[in-house]
Amino acid sequence: MFKYNCLNPIAKVGLERFTDNYKATDNISEADGVLVRSASMHEMELPESLLAIARAGAGVNNIPLDKCAEKGIVVFNTPGANANGVKELTIAGLLLASRDVIGGVNWVSSAKDDENIAKTAEKEKKKFAGTEIQDKKLGIIGLGAIGVKVANVAKNLGMEVWGYDPYVSVDAAWNLSRDVKHVLNVDDIYANCDYITIHVPLLDSTKGFISEEAIGKMKDGVIILNFARDLLVDEAAVLKAIKAGKVRKYVSDFPNATTAGQDGCIVIPHLGASTEESEDNCAKMAVKELIEYLENGNVINSVNYPTVDMGPCTDNARVAVLSKNIPGTINKFSAVFADLNINISDFTNKSKGEYAYTLMDVEAKITDELIAKLKEVDGVIRVRVVKN
Ligand code: MLT
């Protein structure tokens, strides 16, 4: 029996995937797995028993990834599961920044008592006129699941799309329209594009990616869209640039004290993935990842441990070892098995940055002695018996 704890409401269609072998608990200290959306886990006490955290969403900045890795807690996210929802809102943001639909709708509400509203509207509407997106240049920074979808739709809407991503995956490249101009230097996007949208994860290396210096290189009247994370953009610099007439509009899905209610800013209350479809997709994927890890020890879509997938265990036993990525560790594991005369029938070892994950199927029963000896190997963080 496994126990899981939901730190935020998780769509029913996902939770329904748990079989009778799973029980929900409100007490994180007895949970094997945690499901989370936006709750911040940075200040939380993480119990020793906790094996995995699945984030129903893409961004993982609410989870202390290194602390989790150090404790042998595997963190998953659900890349792509809400990409369509975020894509659709990004396109809405493009249009809302181009034409003052919001100002116009607000004007209609304020003029609701005007008996001649239709006539007045015809006089007033010039205040809310805008520009079209067709034939304008859209620069996309980050061609992951969301960036690619935005690129393809924008292309179909008649925009000229420029894409920048030094780490683009083969999968993303396959899905990207070949009409998208691939640029190798982000400065080309800054210098040429009328709209710039950022779709990269928030990491130490991407914080403040759109800096004051970057804004200085942009075209006058540029529109900047941010449906990724607020800290990717130096928003104080954006406000200065709006005042100076350099930036025409800043659209952000992340309300905060800097941008809320500011002229030139269209700030949305983090609605990118707030659709029934996205919430369902994320919940289904997060629960699937958790089940796969708890039942089979397979790691799929983790952000702090490498991908390891050996399918279900067809031998007598399976053991997983979470460790630091230290050269020579595999030899030490083999020596432990050899000393105890236990045969390993299948084996995968992968590393991701500082951490490694080793999954071993064995013919004999896993004994306390074997576990104790594996734990003694330098750099081992956790030894987990998946099947015995
Ligand atoms: C994401 O990171 O997946 C989106 O921003 C939506 C969310 O945080 O749930």
Side-chain angles (χ1 to χ4, degrees):
M1 168 75 65
F2 294 109
K3 290 194 177 157
Y4 66 91
N5 172 246
C6 295
L7 290 178
N8 297 104
I10 300 293
K12 192 161 157 261
V13 70
L15 299 180
E16 280 169 357
R17 293 192 160 204
F18 285 126
T19 59
D20 291 346
N21 201 23
Y22 289 82
K23 195 167 177 279
T25 174
D26 290 336
N27 183 359
I28 191 172
S29 65
E30 59 175 26
D32 302 288
V34 159
L35 288 158
V36 63
R37 285 173 62 191
S38 52
S40 174
M41 299 188 71
H42 286 282
E43 308 306 324
M44 283 179 65
E45 191 75 41
L46 300 174
E48 291 305 316
S49 58
L50 186 61
L51 299 175
I53 297 168
R55 153 90 167 107
V60 283
N61 55 311
N62 55 327
I63 304 171
L65 300 184
D66 285 336
K67 180 171 148 193
C68 288
E70 280 298 329
K71 289 175 91 77
I73 299 167
V74 180
V75 180
F76 300 93
N77 70 345
T78 59
N82 57 22
N84 194 62
V86 180
K87 170 203 82 181
E88 289 187 5
L89 201 67
T90 304
I91 298 298
L94 267 173
L95 296 167
L96 290 175
S98 307
R99 309 174 69 163
D100 193 6
V101 179
I102 297 174
V105 169
N106 288 342
W107 176 83
V108 171
S109 295
S110 71
K112 66 180 191 310
D113 297 327
D114 178 352
E115 281 173 13
N116 294 317
I117 187 165
K119 218 166 145 204
T120 322
E122 291 307 319
K123 271 202 279 170
E124 294 290 319
K125 70 179 187 186
K126 58 178 169 299
K127 288 190 201 153
F128 312 111
T131 53
E132 298 181 15
I133 59 173
Q134 180 164 298
D135 295 329
K136 302 293 187 314
K137 291 192 183 76
L138 170 67
I140 303 184
I141 299 170
L143 294 167
I146 298 168
V148 165
K149 282 183 186 290
V150 171
N152 294 347
V153 173
K155 186 72 222 160
N156 289 336
L157 289 170
M159 299 189 83
E160 185 180 324
V161 182
W162 296 37
Y164 169 79
D165 190 340
Y167 310 105
V168 69
S169 70
V170 175
D171 207 34
W174 269 110
N175 288 317
L176 190 63
S177 158
R178 48 189 190 140
D179 294 327
V180 172
K181 184 177 162 75
H182 185 204
V183 304
L184 299 175
N185 186 340
V186 70
D187 284 355
D188 290 339
I189 284 195
Y190 297 151
N192 291 287
C193 292
D194 308 293
Y195 296 79
I196 295 174
T197 183
I198 185 160
H199 298 282
V200 301
L202 177 64
L203 308 168
D204 284 341
S205 56
T206 57
K207 216 170 256 180
F209 191 100
I210 299 200
S211 60
E212 185 155 20
E213 191 191 343
I215 295 167
K217 294 177 185 167
M218 293 178 189
K219 282 174 78 168
D220 288 346
V222 66
I223 288 172
I224 303 172
L225 300 114
N226 180 2
F227 286 82
R229 286 293 179 264
D230 51 358
L231 294 179
L232 292 166
V233 175
D234 180 344
E235 293 184 327
V238 169
L239 292 188
K240 261 188 10 201
I242 289 172
K243 282 204 182 87
K246 172 88 186 168
V247 169
R248 178 171 147 200
K249 281 267 169 5
Y250 175 59
V251 187
S252 164
D253 199 19
F254 305 96
N256 59 38
T258 309
T259 55
Q262 295 294 327
D263 283 349
C265 295
I266 298 175
V267 187
I268 302 166
H270 199 190
L271 295 181
S274 294
T275 64
E276 271 175 41
E277 295 84 348
S278 286
E279 287 179 11
D280 286 358
N281 287 342
C282 287
K284 283 193 273 186
M285 194 163 166
V287 170
K288 189 169 171 212
E289 291 163 353
L290 208 53
I291 291 176
E292 192 55 44
Y293 183 65
L294 295 177
E295 293 184 11
N296 298 319
N298 292 318
V299 178
I300 299 164
N301 291 327
S302 169
V303 284
N304 63 349
Y305 274 93
T307 298
V308 170
D309 185 1
M310 299 211 319
C313 176
T314 51
D315 216 322
N316 289 324
R318 174 172 283 183
V319 62
V321 185
L322 295 86
S323 64
K324 289 283 214 178
N325 183 15
I326 300 173
T329 305
I330 300 176
N331 287 344
K332 291 182 186 158
F333 292 158
S334 317
V336 168
F337 281 86
D339 282 352
L340 296 173
N341 205 23
I342 297 175
N343 194 33
I344 299 175
S345 59
D346 202 356
F347 174 98
T348 303
N349 168 278
K350 294 259 180 69
S351 62
K352 183 175 183 126
E354 278 182 56
Y355 300 95
Y357 188 79
T358 310
L359 205 53
M360 292 167 278
D361 285 355
V362 292
E363 289 173 357
K365 247 188 145 20
I366 293 164
T367 59
D368 289 346
E369 187 184 13
L370 174 73
I371 297 168
K373 284 193 182 280
L374 286 172
K375 280 185 179 164
E376 278 167 18
V377 174
D378 192 27
V380 166
I381 296 169
R382 167 173 261 160
V383 177
R384 184 179 159 228
V385 178
V386 179
K387 178 181 172 191
N388 207 6

